[in-house]
Amino acid sequence: MSLSKPNHFLQTAAQDKFFVELEEQLFKRLKIEATSDQSHELLKHHAGLKDEVLLSELSNLGITPESLIVMRLLPLVLVAWAERGVDSKEHAAVLDIARQFGIDDWSVAFVLLDHWLQHRPPAECYDAWCRYMKEVTKQMSPASRASLIDILEQQMTAVAKASGGYIGLGKVSKQERQTIERLIAVLRHQMPGDRAETH
């Protein structure tokens, strides 16, 4: 069951505090559940992963079978954090894309994703994402991998443009562009025959 926030304009300071505290409690509970042996085994089965080190990393980051989808969306979070911090428009843009993936407000995946938008994800998230996507893309056809890259690049660019750029014209900053290119490069290096693999 998901829990929806009240209309933004009707929220009081007390309501804001309540939802912040509730999210923190849910996040802490999520972390505890994710590191349980049962959750670890379910994640292993659900994700189809054999890499025990990667599974442990995902569990330690609070990833459960229900929230595994956020690993697909982590690049959007990293782009939002590319500059000084995540502004309200970038925050909203990421969550809007998440909803397109079927992530309901206050679902387990939503809580984790929203937490990362408010608190910069630890460096381990990027490493785990790289390892996870390597496993995922190995099972995809070249055409599917290329489509994934194109869609992800479009989504990351949309998040970068959400804040309006330096003068409000939807420009992508240098830091955001570098982040996008770095993340896309990770996926391209997983594609057999890609010239970008050789240096």
Side-chain angles (χ1 to χ4, degrees), residues 108-198:
V108 172
F110 180 94
V111 169
L112 182 57
L113 187 63
D114 195 47
H115 182 84
W116 283 349
L117 288 167
Q118 296 184 52
H119 308 278
R120 186 187 295 272
E124 292 80 4
C125 280
Y126 172 73
D127 295 333
W129 176 80
C130 291
R131 291 162 63 87
Y132 173 66
M133 293 309 298
K134 180 178 181 179
E135 292 296 319
V136 170
T137 55
K138 281 196 306 186
Q139 304 172 41
M140 300 174 69
S141 68
S144 294
R145 285 193 292 269
S147 177
L148 172 65
I149 290 172
D150 288 343
I151 292 172
L152 184 57
E153 184 169 17
Q154 292 172 17
Q155 292 171 336
M156 289 191 292
T157 301
V159 171
K161 289 182 175 181
S163 60
Y166 181 66
I167 54 176
L169 297 178
K171 292 185 177 180
V172 177
S173 71
K174 179 180 178 181
Q175 296 94 326
E176 290 168 334
R177 175 51 56 190
Q178 289 175 338
T179 299
I180 292 172
E181 291 175 351
R182 176 166 57 94
L183 292 164
I184 290 300
V186 170
L187 294 180
R188 285 184 174 151
H189 291 324
Q190 310 307 330
M191 298 178 66
D194 194 323
R195 292 180 179 275
E197 290 187 308
T198 58

Side-chain angles (χ1 to χ4, degrees), residues 24 31 34 48 54 78 80 85 93 95 118 126 142 184:
E24 285 300 316
K31 290 273 287 185
L54 173 57
L78 297 180
L95 294 183
Q118 296 184 52
Y126 172 73
I184 290 300

Side-chain angles (χ1 to χ4, degrees), residues 36-56:
S36 70
D37 291 339
Q38 181 181 15
S39 180
H40 183 90
E41 287 303 312
L42 287 172
L43 181 61
K44 180 178 181 179
H45 176 74
H46 182 79
L49 299 175
K50 298 180 180 179
D51 188 334
E52 289 291 338
V53 175
L54 173 57
L55 284 165
S56 294

